[in-house]
Amino acid sequence: MEEFRHIGKRIPKVDARNKVTGLGEFTDDIMFHNMLHGAVKHSPHAHARIKKIDTSKAKKVPGVAAVISAEDLPDLKFGLTGSYDYVVLARGRALFVGDAVALVAAEDQAAAQEAVDLIKVEYEELPAVFDMEEAWQPDCPVEIHPDFYESRVVMPGGCSLELLKQQGRKNLSGYFRVRTGDVDKAFQQADVVVENRYTTQWMTPTPLEPDCAIAQVDANGEVTVWGSNQCPYMVRTELSDALGLPLSKIRVIVPYVGGGFGNKLELKAEAMATALALFTNGRPVKVRWSREETFNYTSHPSIIYAKDGFKKDGTLVAREFRWLLDTGSYGGWSALKVKNSAFGALGIYKVPNFKLDCYGVFTNKPITVSQRGFGSRQPVWAIENQMDEAARELGIDPVELRLKNVMVDGDVNASGETMESVGAKDCLVKVNEAMQKWPKLRRTSGHIKRGRGIALGTKYSLVPIAAAVIVKVCEDAAIEVRCSAVDMGQGITTVLAQTAAEEFNIPIDRVKVIRVDTAVTPFGFGASSNTQTQIAGHTLRVACDDVKEQIFAKAAPLLEAKPEDLDTADSVVFVKDDPDNAIPIVELYTYMPLSGLFLDEGGEFIGKATVYHTGTVYDTDPMTGHTAKMSNYWGYACLGVEVEVDTDTGQVKVSRMASSLDCGKAIYPPGVEGQIEGGFSMGMGQALFEEMLFDEKGRCLNPNFTDYKLPTSTDHPALNKSESIIVECPHKPERMWGGKGVGEATITPMVAGIGLAVNDAVGVRLKDPPITPERILRALGTLGGKE
């Protein structure tokens, strides 16, 4: 077994001290001389024609520096895949309650808000549609994007614009299908068929730090943006498209980020701050969203019609899914979201006959963005309920049914991909073993009912994916890493420092990871799709090899050895077979009086690398969804949970949990455990508490942390009744010592596991999270009203 100095070790996060002492600077902490503050005018209507915007009174407010609407900006739209229909400010029509229609920059926030309140907008209300099934119908009277097919639409690999048109539905933002085997025949031959309708709710990602951005435009038109975002190069590209700015003129700097969970992938506050800065004569503008404004960007609710066929022995022989994904008022990434939503249905169980139709549907609801577990949480909820119901009907233990059908290495999934590094079985076995050690379940104590559930989940990692990394060996032999991987608290900065320290065999405090700045750090995909450890870490290793080759080439003549015979540790280069024949790296530099050390050839030791993983996504057959390699890798997780349900009040208490996560190789074990625990907490919120509520006009009724309920520490099981289990199923090909990303797979089984435990406790299957006390009591028939 390979011995490591840093990989797999339990060390403090390298940025922890700055954070706990308050030295870590978040975007809202940044204050510039002469800085202005921005505010947004939002539409009060879900669908309305904008007839006139009167800003005359707003401009007279003392301290106001700029008031702009869409008419002041280029008539441009942006996006990165799917429909390019995002706009900085609504032009012609507002499409949801909260759509931005005007912006103000002023000396302080109070003046900016006063001016916003004085902007008068004349609207003509239009019919709106809020129900995705209604919007999905071919004869829906409301068409939200009548110019959809005339706009720029870039379909992701495996999706066909022509196939989308053929569906004959006017409010589709995307469509993806999978066809394998003969589903109809398989259902005819099945002994047990399980068929249900499931939903997932409107939610919003809930990072503690709301969106915030600062923009400044200098006299030469150079734009600098400081923003709390996950993907700086993505934001830079979208900003160029949105405002017609040359990419070479845009610099994006990412300070400390207070969480993202997918919500900060796309261009939002950065566009508003930049749009205002174009009109403020060089003065920087900060746009800081309120908590209520962050609720204008939500995750995708869904409706899933699921049908499964089983043989008497438990073999899953057929699965059919029809799935509607509400993509809200703008398409943006919707085509990609629709396609990737199929992954959650493909990655866990063997299904020889499979049919899936996934539709993205426009409604006049808020903009939908990415959220942790992108495209996997929703199908896993349905699939694990189906497996649980089938187990009961067949009289087979739920764990045994899953073990019988779970995929292992070498199996081919329903899209034709041969599976590798499949950790699903190991995750399930480990959690089941943990649950076997729990005390015997006492099912009933008066009005308290207890139950247990177990669920598997999966999360793919996107392809294509690319990153570039630069490694500099400084004059004192310290290592500087320049990489555009974004740390939102998950620990990628520590992982990169560990990786560089391992490659150079030096103390970790001799590594400095530069904060993301597109003028300094090269291209990176950012914090998305469980990729950063894999892609950024792998690229860093290649860049380290590159710079070590340069160092060895320089040292070889001095040591009278061949470069390939050299190695380095503790900032010294030595001959592998003769470690005493060595030279400190600092002695490879030349000293220049009055200036210091420099490298007499090339100026400095700089290693570079670019890694691009493509898979075969562009070769996906749009008619069948088949491709040889649709995912970079598959990550897996499992949750076992015990709940107590008070049948008098409907309250649910999670009393025990064991959760496993396949991380390939635990590069930073405390980080893996933190992701398991955080994933459980977030999943518990989605299972029991979180839901955005709307009135009949499309207005969100609970856009704050008072009314939008989140779990607190008192809702969690006691520490001695919680277990986080690391499962290592190394990724192949080996890139990061077998490591996979860990941020997203962990959340995918959480809602299902808790839901199945509630079902086990009360004997009623609830198919529509969150599983609130009211829904439980209605399902039990003890509360009036129809669920």
Side-chain angles (χ1 to χ4, degrees), residues 1 86 177 214 296 309 314 440 461 481 546 559 647 664 682 696:
M1 180 178 291
Y86 283 149
R177 63 190 290 177
I214 302 169
N296 288 328
K440 184 178 179 180
S461 179
V481 177
D546 181 43
L559 297 175
T647 55
M682 180 174 276
E696 69 281 358

Side-chain angles (χ1 to χ4, degrees), residues 130 132 202 299-302 324-328 361-363 365 368:
F130 305 117
M132 74 175 94
W202 279 94
S299 68
H300 304 76
S302 64
L324 306 185
L325 197 68
D326 193 327
T327 56
V361 184
F362 287 118
T363 64
K365 289 284 190 70
T368 53

Side-chain angles (χ1 to χ4, degrees), residues 35-151:
M35 188 171 74
L36 298 166
H37 298 265
V40 188
K41 180 75 171 181
H42 298 284
S43 168
H45 304 295
H47 194 194
R49 184 170 289 109
I50 301 170
K51 300 182 70 175
K52 182 180 179 181
I53 301 178
D54 182 357
T55 62
S56 57
K57 290 184 179 180
K59 291 177 179 178
K60 294 177 182 178
V61 173
V64 168
V67 182
I68 64 173
S69 67
E71 298 303 315
D72 300 299
L73 301 176
D75 187 4
L76 297 171
K77 299 180 180 181
F78 65 93
L80 283 175
T81 187
S83 55
Y84 280 58
D85 60 1
Y86 283 149
V87 290
V88 180
L89 294 172
R91 184 182 297 271
R93 286 184 303 144
L95 300 183
F96 71 99
V97 175
D99 213 350
V101 297
L103 299 169
V104 172
E107 297 291 343
D108 56 53
Q109 199 68 49
Q113 192 57 53
E114 181 183 351
V116 160
D117 293 341
L118 290 172
I119 296 173
K120 300 301 179 185
V121 184
E122 183 181 343
Y123 295 100
E124 176 190 343
E125 281 198 73
L126 300 171
V129 58
F130 305 117
D131 181 271
M132 74 175 94
E133 287 194 292
E134 179 186 352
W136 181 72
Q137 297 300 326
D139 59 352
C140 177
V142 178
E143 186 171 9
I144 298 172
H145 288 280
D147 59 347
F148 179 84
Y149 291 108
E150 285 69 49
S151 302

